Amino acid sequence: MVFLEIEMNEDITVPFHMLDLERLPLPKVILLNLLHRIGLRKASQEHGYYIAITTLNTISELLRDEDSSVILFAVSLNCTAVKPCKGEILIGTVTKIMEDGIMLNSGPMENILLPETMMNDYELNMSEEPMFLKVNGLSYMKKDTKVRFKVLDIQWAERNKEFNIWATILGDYLGPI
């Protein structure tokens, strides 16, 4: 995964009734608002998955909107993000076994598909616990198994605001750990 340190500019609105400077200082109100907004956003096609706000650089002067009883201001901040790349090797955890493949999670990435066609010599075994079992019976992948995989392709899903990732375990040193 590629970790990026990015600078972002955000316009923040805070309802005036939330500003109780004796109880919660303004920088904390701003930070909580930013964390909430970035948490809802989760990821962007340009930056990848947002991990953490690292620095509040500048906060503009506060402007009070009398009509809506909110305070408006602009904030400049630095944020750490992670973006998947084709060809990189990652480790994920099996979350779901399906007839045509396996779903994996790796860090903030939740939509990683390892298709059956990209698992050489593994066959679906629907015993008590569904799993993909290697033909020689010495290796398996079931729910919660850690798997080293290579990123085959990445596609941005605008509707879900996340990346869809296709994986493979064809290659040296790839597969269940």
Side-chain angles (χ1 to χ4, degrees), residues 3-171:
F3 286 90
L4 306 168
E5 184 74 21
I6 56 173
E7 185 173 342
M8 297 171 57
N9 295 307
E10 294 285 325
D11 293 324
I12 302 295
T13 59
V14 176
F16 189 71
H17 71 275
M18 287 183 65
L19 288 180
D20 181 358
L21 298 179
E22 291 176 12
R23 207 169 41 111
L24 202 57
L26 184 60
K28 284 189 180 183
V29 171
I30 294 169
L31 190 57
L32 290 172
N33 191 298
L34 285 170
L35 287 170
H36 177 71
R37 288 179 65 168
I38 289 174
L40 290 176
R41 193 176 306 151
K42 189 177 178 180
S44 75
Q45 185 174 9
E46 180 185 1
H47 300 130
Y49 291 91
Y50 299 110
I51 304 297
I53 296 172
T54 54
T55 312
L56 279 177
N57 297 328
T58 59
I59 301 171
S60 72
E61 286 188 32
L62 304 178
L63 299 171
R64 183 171 180 186
D65 184 356
E66 299 293 336
D67 297 332
S68 59
S69 298
V70 296
I71 294 177
L72 310 164
F73 49 91
V75 176
S76 171
L77 63 122
N78 286 357
C79 183
T80 300
V82 63
K83 190 169 184 180
C85 297
K86 284 183 186 179
E88 70 180 329
I89 307 293
L90 299 173
I91 295 175
T93 304
V94 175
T95 58
K96 187 175 181 182
I97 303 288
M98 305 174 297
E99 284 186 28
D100 58 344
I102 293 174
M103 292 301 294
L104 301 162
N105 281 357
S106 181
M109 298 173 284
E110 297 174 345
N111 282 341
I112 304 169
L113 175 64
L114 175 56
E116 185 178 24
T117 57
M118 294 293 136
M119 296 185 265
N120 209 13
D121 298 330
Y122 281 87
E123 294 177 352
L124 182 62
N125 182 344
M126 294 298 278
S127 57
E128 294 174 17
E129 187 173 14
M131 68 177 73
F132 276 89
L133 187 63
K134 192 151 181 130
V135 174
N136 65 13
L138 297 177
S139 178
Y140 62 87
M141 290 181 280
K142 62 181 183 178
K143 190 170 183 193
D144 297 327
T145 301
K146 299 284 186 200
V147 178
R148 183 178 292 115
F149 64 93
K150 183 177 182 178
V151 176
L152 254 176
D153 197 16
I154 303 165
Q155 183 180 34
W156 174 250
E158 185 64 37
R159 192 174 103 210
N160 300 337
K161 300 280 190 227
E162 62 186 341
F163 293 94
N164 291 325
I165 300 168
W166 286 269
T168 181
I169 59 169
L170 301 177

